Amino acid sequence: MRKVLIVTLMLMLALGACAHADDVKIGACIYRFNDAFMLRFRQAMQAESEKLGAKIELADGQDNQSTQDEQVDAFIADGVNVLIVNPVDRMSSQSIIDKAKTAGIPVVFINREPTEEMLATYDKAYYVGAKAEESGTEAGELVASYFKAHPEADKNKDGKLQFILLKGQNGHQDMILRSKYSVEAVKEAGIEPVELAGAIANWDKLEAMKIMNGFIMSIGPENIEAVIANNDEMALGAIEALKAQDYNTGNPEAYIPVVGVDANASALEAMDKGEMLGTVLNDADGQGSAAVKLAVSLAKNAGAEGADGKYIWVPYQKVVRGEKQ
Ligand code: GAL
Ligand code: CA
């Protein structure tokens, strides 16, 4: 009798500790709301939370790490069951991990990767993202195959690819690895890449437009054979600058292939109009829903749904003129 009672009590305790999805409160910190790709990501997380019946609250870090740190504190004080964090500075992830650990709640990082060492310090810390090198390689391959299929693209007929590189934020794994692997892929394809100029444009369209404008003026558009941008927004900024010089407006004599990454709607539109060569799909829906599913299953103490060790990797896909390759 007593044994039965104890077993029953233990069962009740175990069930009590195991929250239902509709009891799960997620606190999600986004590095900056005003980012076209992260907007898609946020929408995907909201849709998945709704589907699972979990509550999600999103905070805008406004590209400021101390603002985000306060938001993490506020979520914890508010009693969220799990955190999803898109860190402003991924190297600041350790202090966020420490806070989650002290509070005893799981933390799922997205889009900006903490180091393996950081994730290893807490058994309930995970990362959901896409392999940056993959997108770099695929963007580089798009340029290389265009260059090979269009002999006129080699404007100075030296067999090499004279290109401009527009880079995302400093220190971001997507900036470092996309830059490296896109150029690597051009080499792999048997074409010697020559970087005419490169600059950080912080994922931003306007910044990229201004920088590209300067490059067009100093280098001359007739000497540029490709623009490789770490994301679509910067690719679109470059295209704006080119269009102002009557490039990429439909005249095949005045065209420079431009590639980005993300496959945002505005980039697909530019591709349909023939202004942009291609992009690589950064699967916001896949990453957003995987992050929320993982967060909810961790909060319910039901294991790490979908994770392989500390990670969930969502693949990239090449996109040319709206068609997946
Ligand atoms: C990248 C994406 C960029 C930007 C950045 C923010 O994965 O391609 O457009 O959103 O994340 O961290
Ligand atoms: Ca050339």
Side-chain angles (χ1 to χ4, degrees), residues 31-32 35-41 86-88 110-112 127 130 132 135 168-169 172-175 178 202-204 230-234 260-264 280 282 287 316:
Y31 97 94
R32 181 162 75 103
D35 174 302
F37 173 71
M38 290 315 299
L39 170 62
R40 284 168 53 203
F41 211 123
N86 169 214
V88 173
I110 52 168
N111 176 262
R112 295 171 166 217
Y127 179 70
S135 51
Q169 264 172 314
H172 197 305
Q173 81 278 345
D174 289 342
M175 181 287 261
R178 285 177 189 166
N202 294 306
W203 310 119
D204 190 73
N230 285 167
N231 79 341
D232 284 349
E233 284 297 300
M234 296 189 296
V261 174
D262 283 338
N264 288 339
V280 178
N282 194 359
Q287 293 172 59
Y316 281 106

Side-chain angles (χ1 to χ4, degrees), residues 189-218:
I191 302 161
E192 189 181 322
V194 180
E195 185 176 324
L196 294 173
I200 295 269
N202 294 306
W203 310 119
D204 190 73
K205 183 174 174 182
L206 193 65
E207 229 174 291
M209 191 192 83
K210 289 182 188 154
I211 289 169
M212 186 65 193
N213 227 359
F215 288 159
I216 291 173
M217 296 308 158
S218 58

Side-chain angles (χ1 to χ4, degrees), residues 6 27 43 71 78 125 128 133 151 182 184 218 226-227 252 263 282 297 300 306 312 314:
I6 290 172
Q43 288 166 339
Q71 291 165 340
D78 223 36
V128 176
E133 55 268 41
S182 50
E184 211 54 51
S218 58
V227 177
N282 194 359
S297 82
K300 290 197 298 182
I312 296 181
V314 177

Side-chain angles (χ1 to χ4, degrees), residues 108 113 116 119 123 125-129 131 290 294 297-298 303-314:
V108 175
E113 210 180 317
E116 247 178 82
L119 291 176
D123 61 342
Y126 292 83
Y127 179 70
V128 176
K131 292 228 163 106
L294 173 61
S297 82
L298 290 169
E305 188 181 330
D308 180 7
K310 295 256 172 201
Y311 296 93
I312 296 181
W313 294 114
V314 177

Side-chain angles (χ1 to χ4, degrees), residues 141-154 191 277:
E141 285 172 355
L142 287 175
V143 175
S145 59
Y146 177 85
F147 195 71
K148 283 184 168 171
H150 295 83
E152 76 280 8
D154 184 11
I191 302 161
L277 174 66

Side-chain angles (χ1 to χ4, degrees), residues 64-323:
N64 183 324
Q65 190 57 59
S66 42
T67 301
Q68 184 171 68
D69 289 341
E70 285 165 18
Q71 291 165 340
V72 168
D73 294 339
F75 276 141
I76 291 175
D78 223 36
V80 297
N81 308 105
V82 56
L83 288 167
I84 294 180
V85 182
N86 169 214
V88 173
D89 172 6
R90 69 193 183 102
M91 289 308 159
S92 295
S93 304
Q94 188 64 58
S95 81
I96 296 171
I97 293 174
D98 294 343
K99 285 176 181 174
K101 192 174 179 180
T102 307
I105 57 171
V107 56
V108 175
F109 289 92
I110 52 168
N111 176 262
R112 295 171 166 217
E113 210 180 317
T115 63
E116 247 178 82
E117 291 73 24
M118 292 178 188
L119 291 176
T121 62
Y122 183 31
D123 61 342
K124 290 182 185 151
Y126 292 83
Y127 179 70
V128 176
K131 292 228 163 106
E133 55 268 41
E134 214 176 281
S135 51
T137 301
E138 292 179 2
E141 285 172 355
L142 287 175
V143 175
S145 59
Y146 177 85
F147 195 71
K148 283 184 168 171
H150 295 83
E152 76 280 8
D154 184 11
K155 293 176 174 161
N156 63 355
K157 304 284 169 232
D158 67 349
K160 303 174 188 172
L161 176 78
Q162 276 74 18
F163 71 99
I164 286 191
L165 186 61
L166 294 173
K167 299 185 272 192
Q169 264 172 314
N170 240 332
H172 197 305
Q173 81 278 345
D174 289 342
M175 181 287 261
I176 300 165
L177 297 170
R178 285 177 189 166
S179 299
K180 174 165 179 233
Y181 283 88
S182 50
V183 177
E184 211 54 51
V186 171
K187 271 190 224 158
E188 272 306 301
I191 302 161
E192 189 181 322
V194 180
E195 185 176 324
L196 294 173
I200 295 269
N202 294 306
W203 310 119
D204 190 73
K205 183 174 174 182
L206 193 65
E207 229 174 291
M209 191 192 83
K210 289 182 188 154
I211 289 169
M212 186 65 193
N213 227 359
F215 288 159
I216 291 173
M217 296 308 158
S218 58
I219 297 164
E222 68 284 2
N223 299 314
I224 302 170
E225 297 178 345
V227 177
I228 300 175
N230 285 167
N231 79 341
D232 284 349
E233 284 297 300
M234 296 189 296
L236 291 169
I239 289 168
E240 282 309 307
L242 288 170
K243 281 163 72 179
Q245 304 299 320
D246 291 325
Y247 267 74
N248 293 35
T249 58
N251 172 7
E253 301 288 302
Y255 175 74
I256 296 174
V258 179
V259 293
V261 174
D262 283 338
N264 288 339
S266 45
L268 298 177
E269 231 172 80
M271 281 158 56
D272 287 339
K273 287 195 259 174
E275 298 169 357
M276 179 165 165
L277 174 66
T279 185
V280 178
L281 173 73
N282 194 359
D283 186 358
D285 288 342
Q287 293 172 59
S289 79
V292 167
K293 278 187 196 146
L294 173 61
V296 168
S297 82
L298 290 169
K300 290 197 298 182
N301 244 321
E305 188 181 330
D308 180 7
K310 295 256 172 201
Y311 296 93
I312 296 181
W313 294 114
V314 177
Y316 281 106
Q317 252 177 327
K318 277 185 231 175
V319 185
V320 177
R321 302 209 179 211
E323 294 295 321

